[in-house]
Amino acid sequence: MRKLIAGNWKMNGLASSLAEIEVLKGLTGKVTCDIVVCPPFTLVEKAAECAAGSAITVGAQDCHAQTMGAYTGDVSAEMLAEIGARFVILGHSERRAAYGEMDGVVAGKAAAVHKARLASIICVGETLTERNEGRAAEVVCAQLEGSIPDTATSSNTMIAYEPVWAIGTGQVPSLAQIEEIHSSIRQMLKERLGDDGGRVRILYGGSVKAQNAKAIFSVSNVDGALVGGASLKASEFAGIILAAD
Ligand code: PEP
């Protein structure tokens, strides 16, 4: 399966940060994996223009489930499609924690993303307490069950397994722990989507760096990465992309 490496810039980046995309464009023709950069809303259009014709595709970090209406401050999937986004990250643990986004809300947003002919990167992951209670796989599969809409296929849906305790902390689960959860996710996807579930890309996210990426990519059912901090500098992000190839 072709790997997909997505960078989540979170609430970072002004127009000057587009220089990082300029650098990444240098990878065009040199790598076979899919590369996605998800800047804040304000940069999506400019990033898409900057990346046009290159190996880089642009995504956003959230959207509303409705197409339009009285939702002050929100942005619809259709609006994102119009300005050149091709992917939308949904259900990131920071949004689940800060805005109380429940699985059903994530599923509604994912359905809107699919309707706008974009692809969703649906994030799931356990907290440290849940892991210590031995419930990591159970929690992740329950989140997935509730967060994947009926419109999901292997072409419009990617899953990102992101243990909450590994995000931005420098802590990474062991390769065996990653393998166990990715294999549970794969099984659940096959139960839900049949053979197509075997083709959905499952990304790992949580403190991925150029230096640990190769080992993580060697784990079965790891089909790429969702990268936060290390995606902000093109030199570091490129190291991760090259490790995937
Ligand atoms: C993320 O926020 O999706 C993430 C994986 O962050 P980091 O790589 O910084 O841990």
Side-chain angles (χ1 to χ4, degrees):
M1 197 152 12
R2 196 164 69 221
K3 290 200 170 17
L4 183 144
I5 313 299
N8 172 14
W9 285 10
K10 311 193 183 190
M11 199 174 74
N12 295 292
L14 297 170
S16 57
S17 310
L18 296 171
E20 304 300 328
I21 297 179
E22 286 294 348
V23 175
L24 291 175
K25 281 162 72 175
L27 292 170
T28 306
K30 296 188 183 140
V31 291
T32 53
C33 62
D34 291 327
I35 307 168
V36 183
V37 174
C38 302
F41 286 140
T42 49
L43 290 180
V44 168
E45 185 164 21
K46 281 186 178 145
E49 281 165 13
C50 174
S54 79
I56 322 292
T57 324
V58 173
Q61 302 168 20
D62 184 40
C63 70
H64 198 278
Q66 299 299 324
T67 314
M68 64 181 76
Y71 304 102
T72 303
D74 280 311
V75 169
S76 74
E78 205 173 52
M79 292 168 182
L80 293 170
E82 189 180 57
I83 59 169
R86 291 291 166 261
F87 291 80
V88 185
I89 297 171
L90 295 172
H92 191 282
S93 62
E94 287 156 11
R95 295 202 61 83
R96 289 180 187 263
Y99 303 102
E101 275 190 19
M102 309 296 280
D103 298 335
V105 170
V106 177
K109 291 180 173 192
V113 163
H114 300 160
K115 191 169 165 222
R117 299 184 177 279
L118 303 182
S120 54
I121 300 177
I122 298 177
C123 304
V124 289
E126 83 285 0
T127 61
L128 193 54
T129 309
E130 289 162 342
R131 171 157 288 277
N132 290 339
E133 289 168 355
R135 300 196 300 120
E138 177 200 325
V139 166
V140 165
C141 286
Q143 279 180 344
L144 263 191
E145 190 60 63
S147 303
I148 298 180
D150 291 341
T151 48
T153 67
S154 59
S155 339
N156 67 19
T157 301
M158 274 112 262
I159 305 302
Y161 167 54
E162 299 206 304
V164 177
W165 51 275
I167 294 179
T169 60
Q171 288 183 59
V172 182
S174 68
L175 300 184
Q177 287 172 326
I178 296 176
E179 182 165 7
E180 186 211 341
I181 302 294
H182 278 240
S183 139
S184 301
I185 293 174
R186 176 68 69 211
Q187 198 182 323
M188 188 258 149
L189 288 168
K190 283 184 179 163
E191 279 161 22
R192 179 78 186 260
L193 304 176
D195 286 351
D196 199 33
R199 293 187 285 270
V200 172
R201 286 183 282 190
I202 308 173
L203 318 181
Y204 168 78
S207 298
V208 177
K209 313 269 179 244
Q211 150 201 2
N212 60 16
K214 211 172 180 72
I216 292 171
F217 293 145
S218 71
V219 174
S220 72
N221 287 309
V222 172
D223 309 309
L226 179 55
V227 184
S231 71
L232 294 172
K233 274 272 148 242
S235 51
E236 178 73 15
F237 194 44
I240 296 171
I241 293 163
L242 291 169
D245 237 40

